[in-house]
C-alpha cells in the first residue's frame, strides 16, 4: 500500500505534468491559429514557428512519458498521443509548404585553413548549422544551451575543434569575452563550455528572472488575434523554461496550480 505522503507527492507531480501537457497543446493550437490566418507578410515567421513546433513535440514526448510512468497503466494514453501527433504532422507539413523552394546554389570554392595551428583540412567544410546568437543575456541562456547541446555539443559527427569553432561563432558580447583568451583547439573546447556554464548556469537566478518576466508581461494595447497569440507565446516560453529549471518538490509555479 502506498504511504499517504508518497501518494500526495505523486498526485502533485501528476497535476503539474497534466498542466504542462495542457500548456503544450495550447501552444500548438496558437501555431495552428497562425497557420490558419497566414498571409505573405508573415513569411519570415514560418521558420521560427516550425522550430517552436519541433520543440513542443520534444516537450510533449518527455511530459507524456513521465505521466505514463507515474500513472503506471491507469489510463489509456493512445488518444492523447494520436491527437498531438496528428496536430504536429498537419502543422509541420502545412508550415513547410509555405517556404518558397530556393534554386540550388553551386558549391563554393574550398576554404583555405585559417592557421596552421588549427587542425582542419582545407578540403573539409563545417556543415552549416544555424544557431541563435547568445550575447550573455540570462533570459536567453536556457533556450541557447538546450539547442546548442542538442545540435553541437552531443554530436558524434563533429570533432572538438569543430565544436569550438561553432561555439565561438554563436557567442557575442559578454559571453564571447569569457572564452576570448582561449585558442581554438580540441583541449580548450570543454574548458570553454565549462566556463560558460559556470557563469550562466545559475538556476536560482534564472528562476527569479523568468518569474519576474512573467509578472512584467505587458498587456495588449489593442485586441487582436495576433496580439493574443504573441502574448500567449511569451507567457508559455517562460512557463516551459521554468518547468525545466525547478524540481517538483520546490516547484516555482505552485501559485499557478489550482489548489
Amino acid at each position: 500500500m502506498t504511504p499517504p505522503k508518497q501518494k500526495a507527492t505523486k498526485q502533485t507531480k501528476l497535476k503539474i505534468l497534466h498542466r504542462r501537457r495542457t500548456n503544450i497543446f495550447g501552444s500548438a493550437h496558437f501555431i495552428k491559429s497562425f497557420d490558419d490566418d497566414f498571409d505573405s507578410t508573415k513569411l519570415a515567421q514560418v521558420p521560427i514557428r516550425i522550430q517552436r513546433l519541433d520543440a513542443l513535440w520534444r516537450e510533449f514526448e518527455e511530459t507524456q512519458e513521465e505521466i505514463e510512468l507515474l500513472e503506471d497503466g491507469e489510463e489509456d494514453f493512445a488518444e492523447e498521443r494520436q491527437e498531438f501527433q496528428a496536430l504536429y504532422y498537419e502543422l509541420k507539413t502545412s508550415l513547410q509548404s509555405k517556404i518558397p523552394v530556393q534554386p540550388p546554389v553551386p558549391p563554393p570554392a574550398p576554404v583555405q585553413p585559417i592557421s596552421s595551428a588549427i587542425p582542419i583540412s582545407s578540403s573539409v567544410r563545417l556543415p552549416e548549422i544555424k544557431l541563435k546568437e547568445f550575447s550573455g543575456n540570462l533570459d536567453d541562456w536556457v533556450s541557447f544551451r538546450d539547442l546548442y547541446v542538442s545540435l553541437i555539443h552531443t554530436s558524434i559527427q563533429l570533432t572538438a575543434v569543430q565544436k569550438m569553432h561553432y561555439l565561438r561563432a554563436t557567442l557575442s558580447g559578454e559571453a564571447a569575452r569569457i572564452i576570448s583568451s582561449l585558442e581554438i583547439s580540441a583541449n580548450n573546447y570543454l574548458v570553454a563550455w565549462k566556463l560558460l556554464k559556470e557563469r550562466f548556469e545559475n538556476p536560482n537566478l534564472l528562476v527569479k528572472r523568468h518569474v519576474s518576466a512573467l509578472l512584467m508581461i505587458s498587456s495588449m494595447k489593442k485586441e487582436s488575434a495576433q496580439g493574443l497569440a504573441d502574448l500567449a507565446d511569451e507567457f508559455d516560453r517562460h512557463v516551459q523554461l521554468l518547468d525545466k529549471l525547478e524540481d517538483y518538490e520546490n516547484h516555482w509555479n505552485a501559485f499557478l496550480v489550482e489548489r
Side-chain angles (χ1 to χ4, degrees), residues 113-154:
I114 298 173
S115 167
S116 59
I118 302 175
I120 297 181
S121 170
S122 61
S123 62
V124 176
R125 287 179 52 81
L126 292 177
E128 183 179 0
I129 302 177
K130 293 184 179 180
L131 290 169
K132 183 179 179 182
E133 189 177 81
F134 178 63
S135 64
N137 186 340
L138 275 176
D139 294 341
D140 300 329
W141 167 250
V142 174
S143 58
F144 166 77
R145 178 201 64 194
D146 290 351
L147 186 60
Y148 180 84
V149 168
S150 65
L151 295 181
I152 306 296
H153 188 67
T154 57

Side-chain angles (χ1 to χ4, degrees), residues 162-181:
Q162 291 172 326
K163 292 176 182 180
M164 188 68 171
H165 274 285
Y166 281 118
L167 188 60
R168 275 279 182 85
T170 56
L171 300 178
S172 64
E174 180 186 357
R177 286 193 293 272
I178 290 174
I179 66 168
S180 60
S181 62

